[in-house]
Amino acid sequence: MDFTFTEDQLAFKEAISRFLKTEVPPEVLRDICDTEEGSTSELRQKMAEQGLAALSVPENQGGLGMDDTAWSLLTQELGYYAIPDSMADTAYVASGLLTALPEGTQQREQLLEMIAEGSIRIAVVHGVNPLVVDLHLADKALVEHEGEVHLVSREQFDCERNTSIDSSRRVSRLNFSASSASKIAGADDGSGVWAETLNRGALAVAGKSLGLAQRMLDLSVDYAIQRKQFGKPIGSFQAVKHKLADVVGGIETAKPTLYRAAYALANGDARADLYVSHAKLACCQAAMVAARHGIQVHGAMGYTWEADLQMFMKRAWALQASWGTAEFHRQRVADDILADGVAIGPQYTFEG
Amino acid sequence: MKLTFNAEDERFRDEIAQWLETNLQGEFAKLKFRGGPGDEHMFSEERKRWEQRLAEGGWTCIGWPEAWGGRNASIEQQVIFAEEYARAGAPGRVGHIGEGLTGPTILAFGTDEQKARYLPGILNGTEFWCQGYSEPSAGSDLANVRTRAVQNAETGKWEITGQKIWTSLAHESEWCFVLARTESGSVAHRGLGFFLVAMDQPGVDIRPIEQMTGTSEFNEVFFDDAIAADLIGEPGQGWHIAMTLLGFERGVSTLGQQMQFQNELNELIRLARSNGAARNPNIRQRLAEAHTGLRLMRYNAMRMLSDTEDAGSESSALVYKLHWSSWHRNLGALAMDVLGPEAEMLESAPYNLTRMQSLFLFTRADTIYGGTNQIQRNIIAERGLGMPKEAKGR
C-alpha cells in the first residue's frame, strides 16, 4: 500500500499550480466570468503550452502519457483556482476515451495528436451528463448512443447555449441524429469505453470539487483570523473553529478516496465504478460542507458578490450534479455491495 | 389548550380572504407571489401602491390600537391575517419594518407627539422604514456600534455620523431608525440612543450592496452630520429600546412567513412530481422530512404566541429562529437536488435566477441575518439554559 506520488507527478503539479496562481488570480477570474463566453482562448492556449493538453495523450501521439493518478492531482489545482475552462474535458475525458478505443479507429490518432498540440476542443456527451460545458465551442463531440461511440463535428449538431449559476459556465444539450456515418465504434468496444469515460468525467468533477473545498477553507480560515467581533478574532470562538475543523475533516477524508479511484481507473480495476462513486460522493460532499460553512463563517460578507467566496461556492454547487448526481453515485455503490455473490466476508474486509 | 379558531375568527378569515381576492386584481394581479425573500427588489413602486390599497381597506397595522388606526386585532386574528395574506400570494410587504418594528416601538416608547407624527404615514402606506442597526464592526457584536450622535448646542438637534451596513430597503425608505452612540467614550450597550432619521437629506448617502444573487436588496448607508428628526426615549436608553424592538421581530409575521414556506414546499413537490424526482426514495424521504419540519415550526409558533404560563414558552421563542433558518436552508438545498443537473441553468442571461435558484441562494442568508445560527445557539445556551457567557475580548 503506497499513496505517494512520483516525483514527476508532484513536480508537474507544482509547476501547474504556480502557473495557475499567477495567471488566474480572483480579479482575472472575475474578468473572464464577465466575458461573453465565460472563458478565453488565450488562457486555454497558455494552459496547453504548460503541457496540460498533452498530459495523458500517449507518447506515440506526442503526449506525456501520464495516467489518471496525475489528473487526480491536477484537477484539484483546476478546482482550487476555479479555472474557467473546460480543458479537462478535452485533455482528460476525451483523450482517455480516444486512447481506450482500438488503435486504428477512425480519426483516433489524428484527434489525439491535435489534443496534445492543444489545437482542438472535444466535448464528451453522455446520458449521465446531459448538460455539457462549452459544447457550443467544441470543434467535435464524442457522443454516447446505445453504447456506440459517435463522432460529430460542430457543423453537424445543434445546441442552445445556457448560462449557469456559475458565471463562467455555459452549458448545452446536444441535438443531433446518430447515423452510421457518425459511428466510430460499435457497442462491443463502446460499452467498456463509455463505462471508463463516465468514471473519468466523475473523477474530474471530484478532483475539482476537492480543490474548491480547499480554496474555500483557506479563504474562510483567513477571514476568521482577520475578522474581529467582541474584541477578538471570530476564529477564537469555538462555534466558528469547529465549523472549519469539520471542513478540513471532510477534505482530508475525501482525498484518499480520490486517489484510490484514480489508481483503480489507471489500472483497469473491475470495481472502478465503486471507487469512483466513493470519490465523487466524498469530494462533492466535502465541497458542499466547505461552501456551507464557508459562507456561515464569512457572515453577511459571504453573501455578497464582492467577496470571492461566492465564485468558488457557485462552482462547487454547479459541479454537484455534474457527471452523476449524488443519488446516481449512491445507487452505484448500493448496486455493487448488494449484488448477488458480492465479495463480502472477513477475508475481503480490507481488500481494495 | 384550544387548537381551533372560534366562529368570530372564522368570519374574520372569510372577510380578509374575500378582500384579498377582490383586490389582488388589475394592476395588482402581477404582484401575486412576488417580492418575497430573494425577490424583494421586484415591483417596488407597485408594491408601495399595494400598501396604500391595503390601508384603504383597513388591512395595515391591524394589531395596533384602534386609537392609532389599528383594529386592535387579537393574536388569533393577526395569525389568520398573516396566513390568508400568504395563502392568497399577496406580495411581500414593503411596509413590514414600519408596521412591525417602528410602529410598536413608537407606541411603546414614543411621546404622543411622536406617535401623531410617525404612525399615520406607516398606517397609510405612504412612509416606509428601514433599520439602521448593523455596522461594519457591529454585526454579531451589535453593541459595538460606533455611529455617533452629537447634540448641536445651537439647534438642539442630534446630528448623526457613521456607517450602517446590510440595511434592507434603505433605497426604498423615507425613514431609518438608527442606533447611535450618544455618550462619547461609552462602550458596548451603554450610552446609546434610538434615533429617527429622514433618508432624503444631504447628510445621508445610500450605496447598494450587490448580493451573490446579482441583485441588491440591502445597502450601505453613510451618515455625515445627518440631522435626526427625533430621539425615542432618552439618551442612553437606545439598547433597551433596540432589544425590545427585536422582540417584536419574532411576532406574528412568522406565521405569514410559514405560509410562504408552505407555498415554496408545494412548488417543490409539484416540480419533483413533474420531473420524476419524486420517485427517488431519498428525495421522497427528504420531502417528507421538510413537511414534518414545517409542521413543527407551525405548532411551535402557535405555542410561542399563546398567552400561556407554560414554562417552556421562553425556550420555544429562543429556539425558533434557529429552527426556521436551518429548515429553510435545507429546503433550498433540496430544491437543487430535486432539479438535478438542470439546477444550475439560469432563467436567462445575464444573471436572472429561477425561482428555485433564488430560494437556494437566498436561504444561505437566512442562517446569518437577524442573528447567525451560532449567535442563536449562544443565546439559547446562555439565556435559555443559564450557562456561563463566552469570554469576550473587551
Side-chain angles (χ1 to χ4, degrees):
Chain A
M1 180 66 57
D2 182 3
F3 269 100
T4 55
F5 289 87
T6 66
E7 276 179 29
D8 280 358
Q9 287 171 331
L10 291 174
F12 192 75
K13 184 206 90 141
E14 273 311 310
I16 293 292
S17 182
R18 272 197 306 276
F19 163 75
L20 297 176
K21 184 180 184 178
T22 317
E23 286 295 322
V24 195
E27 56 276 18
V28 173
L29 179 55
R30 280 176 190 272
D31 288 346
I32 297 178
C33 287
D34 284 343
T35 61
E36 181 65 21
E37 295 299 351
S39 60
T40 67
S41 49
E42 291 83 355
L43 176 63
R44 177 84 163 208
Q45 193 52 44
K46 282 184 186 169
M47 288 198 289
E49 285 161 15
Q50 293 293 314
L52 263 180
L55 187 73
S56 55
V57 171
E59 288 171 15
N60 282 344
Q61 275 80 43
L64 301 171
M66 288 194 179
D67 66 15
D68 303 90
T69 53
W71 277 107
S72 71
L73 292 174
L74 289 164
T75 48
Q76 287 180 71
E77 298 305 318
L78 294 174
Y80 190 87
Y81 296 103
I83 298 308
D85 195 282
S86 53
M87 170 63 99
D89 294 2
T90 299
Y92 178 42
V93 186
S95 155
L97 191 161
L98 290 164
T99 306
L101 288 172
E103 275 179 42
T105 301
Q106 191 186 340
Q107 295 196 52
R108 176 183 176 274
E109 284 74 22
Q110 182 198 346
L111 290 176
L112 282 168
E113 280 162 21
M114 292 174 80
I115 291 175
E117 290 164 10
S119 61
I120 191 168
R121 287 169 176 265
I122 306 182
V124 179
V125 185
H126 186 280
V128 169
N129 193 49
L131 286 170
V132 184
V133 178
D134 288 349
L135 179 60
H136 65 292
L137 295 178
D139 303 298
K140 307 254 182 205
L142 287 160
V143 186
E144 193 270 349
H145 176 72
E146 293 171 356
E148 300 162 352
V149 182
H150 290 255
L151 177 68
V152 266
S153 296
R154 182 64 189 89
E155 63 275 11
Q156 293 168 301
F157 67 83
D158 280 339
C159 64
E160 190 184 331
R161 191 188 76 156
N162 298 284
T163 43
S164 161
I165 197 164
D166 170 349
S167 308
S168 80
R169 281 165 68 92
R170 305 288 180 272
V171 294
S172 315
R173 274 196 192 81
L174 178 82
N175 275 321
F176 118 102
S177 315
S179 68
S180 54
S182 59
K183 185 165 86 174
I184 60 167
D188 293 352
D189 288 322
S191 306
V193 169
W194 280 117
E196 228 179 87
T197 300
L198 164 56
N199 282 335
R200 290 213 167 85
L203 203 70
V205 170
K208 288 178 195 172
S209 298
L210 198 60
L212 284 160
Q214 186 66 48
R215 183 63 172 274
M216 291 188 276
L217 175 63
D218 291 352
L219 285 171
S220 303
V221 169
D222 285 351
Y223 189 79
I225 291 170
Q226 159 247 316
R227 167 74 176 168
K228 285 188 177 153
Q229 285 283 266
F230 304 104
K232 298 163 77 171
I234 60 168
S236 67
F237 296 111
Q238 289 195 336
V240 172
K241 247 180 219 159
H242 291 183
K243 286 249 166 274
L244 297 179
D246 285 347
V247 175
V248 72
I251 292 171
E252 292 306 323
T253 50
K255 206 170 277 178
T257 66
L258 178 70
Y259 300 153
R260 177 68 187 87
Y263 181 84
L265 270 181
N267 291 283
D269 193 311
R271 286 177 99 184
D273 287 8
L274 176 72
Y275 300 126
V276 168
S277 286
H278 285 162
K280 173 72 163 61
L281 287 165
C283 294
C284 285
Q285 175 66 15
M288 292 307 273
V289 171
R292 184 171 134 182
H293 290 350
I295 183 174
Q296 196 66 24
V297 166
H298 275 74
M301 271 314 293
Y303 188 65
T304 62
W305 192 272
E306 179 194 337
D308 291 335
L309 186 69
Q310 55 97 3
M311 296 190 285
F312 304 106
M313 287 192 285
K314 287 171 179 167
R315 181 72 54 82
W317 289 331
L319 288 179
Q320 178 76 354
S322 181
W323 284 102
T325 60
E327 264 75 35
F328 173 86
H329 287 284
R330 275 198 291 265
Q331 190 61 50
R332 291 213 312 180
V333 174
D335 287 347
D336 182 285
I337 63 169
L338 299 174
D340 288 336
V342 68
I344 285 183
Q347 70 273 37
Y348 299 111
T349 298
F350 290 108
E351 197 165 88
Chain B
M1 193 164 352
K2 175 179 81 73
L3 298 178
T4 53
F5 295 103
N6 64 29
E8 194 190 331
D9 291 339
E10 293 302 340
R11 274 195 300 279
F12 179 85
R13 184 185 294 279
D14 290 343
E15 187 190 348
I16 175 61
Q18 187 69 52
W19 188 90
L20 286 167
E21 201 187 311
T22 313
N23 285 275
L24 268 173
Q25 306 282 352
E27 62 168 327
F28 299 124
K30 69 175 174 197
L31 299 183
K32 275 195 181 186
F33 297 102
R34 298 310 301 263
D39 193 42
E40 292 94 339
H41 57 293
M42 293 303 294
F43 302 116
S44 52
E45 285 313 309
E46 293 88 338
R47 282 161 59 212
K48 285 182 176 179
R49 283 206 299 281
W50 169 249
E51 292 284 335
Q52 287 149 20
R53 173 66 68 89
L54 279 173
E56 287 159 18
W59 294 111
T60 53
C61 312
I62 60 169
W64 289 12
E66 284 173 21
W68 292 105
R71 292 177 177 235
N72 205 19
S74 65
I75 291 286
E76 283 83 357
Q77 289 176 344
Q78 293 180 55
V79 166
I80 289 169
F81 175 81
E83 286 184 350
E84 292 306 317
Y85 189 88
R87 194 197 310 275
R93 296 285 308 270
V94 191
H96 66 291
I97 297 175
E99 172 171 336
L101 301 179
T102 316
T105 303
I106 292 175
L107 282 165
F109 297 100
T111 62
D112 281 348
E113 205 182 352
Q114 288 168 335
K115 291 175 193 169
R117 167 64 192 88
Y118 299 104
L119 298 182
I122 298 172
L123 188 75
N124 299 336
T126 51
E127 290 186 348
F128 297 94
W129 288 77
C130 60
Q131 170 174 331
Y133 276 13
S134 296
E135 297 182 7
S137 304
S140 289
D141 187 8
L142 180 58
N144 197 33
V145 160
R146 290 177 184 176
T147 295
R148 302 189 317 270
V150 178
Q151 196 165 22
N152 185 308
E154 282 175 30
T155 63
K157 293 279 186 193
W158 289 90
E159 293 170 356
I160 313 286
T161 299
Q163 183 192 352
K164 295 292 176 181
I165 194 167
W166 320 122
T167 314
S168 294
L169 300 174
H171 55 302
E172 299 288 351
S173 299
E174 280 74 27
W175 293 94
C176 183
F177 52 83
V178 176
L179 195 56
R181 208 157 281 288
T182 49
E183 211 178 289
S184 73
S186 66
V187 291
H189 56 277
R190 289 173 291 275
L192 296 169
F194 190 95
F195 295 92
L196 310 184
V197 182
M199 297 299 273
D200 186 14
Q201 59 167 307
V204 178
D205 183 18
I206 303 168
R207 297 181 202 165
I209 299 174
E210 194 175 9
Q211 301 161 198
M212 68 154 116
T213 51
T215 58
S216 296
E217 180 254 335
F218 47 56
N219 304 272
E220 291 177 287
V221 182
F222 295 86
F223 297 98
D224 184 9
D225 284 335
I227 294 163
D230 260 303
L231 166 70
I232 300 294
E234 300 295 322
Q237 223 190 337
W239 185 252
H240 172 63
I241 295 173
M243 289 301 105
T244 309
L245 178 148
L246 287 182
F248 298 138
E249 215 168 19
R250 284 203 302 262
V252 286
S253 62
T254 54
L255 274 301
Q257 181 193 39
Q258 286 178 14
M259 195 60 71
Q260 282 169 26
F261 290 173
Q262 185 69 56
N263 288 340
E264 290 165 358
L265 179 57
N266 291 348
E267 171 64 9
L268 191 53
I269 290 171
R270 191 192 64 72
L271 272 172
R273 290 172 63 111
S274 73
N275 79 357
R279 285 194 297 274
N280 178 312
N282 185 320
I283 297 285
R284 291 177 78 83
Q285 300 256 321
R286 287 166 68 195
L287 285 168
E289 205 177 334
H291 170 80
T292 308
L294 188 52
R295 299 311 291 186
L296 279 166
M297 204 187 299
R298 178 172 166 78
Y299 302 139
N300 195 55
M302 305 289 277
R303 174 167 167 245
M304 195 167 79
L305 293 169
S306 299
D307 186 18
T308 169
E309 295 300 309
D310 180 354
S313 61
E314 167 69 356
S315 292
S316 77
L318 292 178
V319 300
Y320 188 73
K321 161 96 205 292
L322 180 63
H323 180 74
W324 77 251
S325 64
S326 307
W327 180 89
H328 205 208
R329 177 197 60 204
N330 292 346
L331 186 75
L334 177 55
M336 294 297 97
D337 288 345
V338 162
L339 288 168
E342 286 179 14
E344 71 167 301
M345 275 164 63
L346 295 181
E347 180 90 29
S348 58
Y351 205 76
N352 299 316
L353 303 170
T354 64
R355 189 171 165 206
M356 287 296 140
Q357 285 166 344
S358 290
L359 170 72
F360 174 61
L361 292 185
F362 188 81
T363 57
R364 313 317 291 195
D366 283 337
T367 57
I368 295 169
Y369 70 78
T372 64
N373 278 12
Q374 288 63 45
I375 291 295
Q376 298 299 335
R377 288 189 177 93
N378 280 354
I379 293 172
I380 293 165
E382 292 172 11
R383 212 179 299 162
L385 303 176
M387 295 172 77
K389 290 198 178 232
E390 196 154 23
K392 292 177 184 172
R394 51 147 215 270

